[in-house]
Amino acid sequence: MPGPSTAELTFYWFHRAIAAYCLMFGVLYWIRLIGFYEGPSWRFDLMPAYWQVAAVTLAALFPFAAIGLWMLASWGPVVWFICAATEAVMYVGFPELFGEKLLIVVSHLCVALVYAAIRLAIYFERRAEERQAV
C-alpha cells in the first residue's frame, strides 16, 4: 500500500501550522486575562463582562483546538471553527463592543478556504484512484 499522497501530506502539515496559529491565539488571550497586556481594562477583573466571557471562552478553546489539530483528530477543525466563528461574530457582529479586527476575521476565512481546497484536492485524488482501480 502506498504512503500518503502529496495532498494528504500537505493537509497534515496544514493542520500542524494551524495548530501553532491556534496556540498563539490562545496564549494571547491568556496574556490578556492575567494582565500582561498593556492597555485599558486588559486584566480580567477590569474587563467588561462581555469581554470576560469571550476571553475566557477563547483562552480555553484555542489551545484545545491546537491540540486536536496537532493530533490530526477529527474534532480539531470543529473546535477551530467554533473559535473562528466566535471571533467573527465578535469583531464583525459587535464592533462597538469588541472593536473592528478585520484582519483576524480575514485570516480565519483564508484558513477555511485553504482547508476546503485541500479537502477537495484529496477528494478528487481519491476519486481518481478509485476509477483507476475499477
Side-chain angles (χ1 to χ4, degrees):
M1 178 166 197
S5 68
T6 303
E8 289 170 332
L9 286 174
T10 302
F11 192 60
Y12 300 154
W13 284 107
F14 180 72
H15 269 77
R16 300 275 164 86
I18 299 308
Y21 166 85
C22 286
L23 189 58
M24 178 198 67
F25 271 105
V27 168
L28 290 174
Y29 276 105
W30 277 105
I31 286 171
R32 289 177 179 175
L33 287 176
I34 59 177
F36 283 132
Y37 185 79
E38 295 281 333
S41 65
W42 283 111
R43 199 175 72 207
F44 183 77
D45 59 332
L46 301 176
M47 288 180 185
Y50 52 87
W51 256 115
Q52 288 177 342
V53 171
V56 167
T57 301
L58 292 170
L61 286 179
F62 267 122
F64 190 62
I67 292 167
L69 288 164
W70 190 267
M71 295 185 337
L72 305 174
S74 60
W75 50 266
V78 175
V79 178
W80 169 83
F81 178 79
I82 292 168
C83 294
T86 301
E87 284 197 320
V89 168
M90 285 168 54
Y91 298 130
V92 175
F94 301 101
E96 66 280 356
L97 298 177
F98 298 101
E100 282 189 41
K101 295 189 178 174
L102 194 57
L103 187 59
I104 290 175
V105 176
V106 169
S107 71
H108 288 317
L109 184 59
C110 289
V111 167
L113 290 173
V114 171
Y115 181 87
I118 297 172
R119 290 295 295 178
L120 279 172
I122 292 171
Y123 170 77
F124 287 124
E125 195 173 73
R126 287 182 182 167
R127 195 168 130 187
E129 287 174 6
E130 288 174 2
R131 286 186 180 173
Q132 288 178 351
V134 173

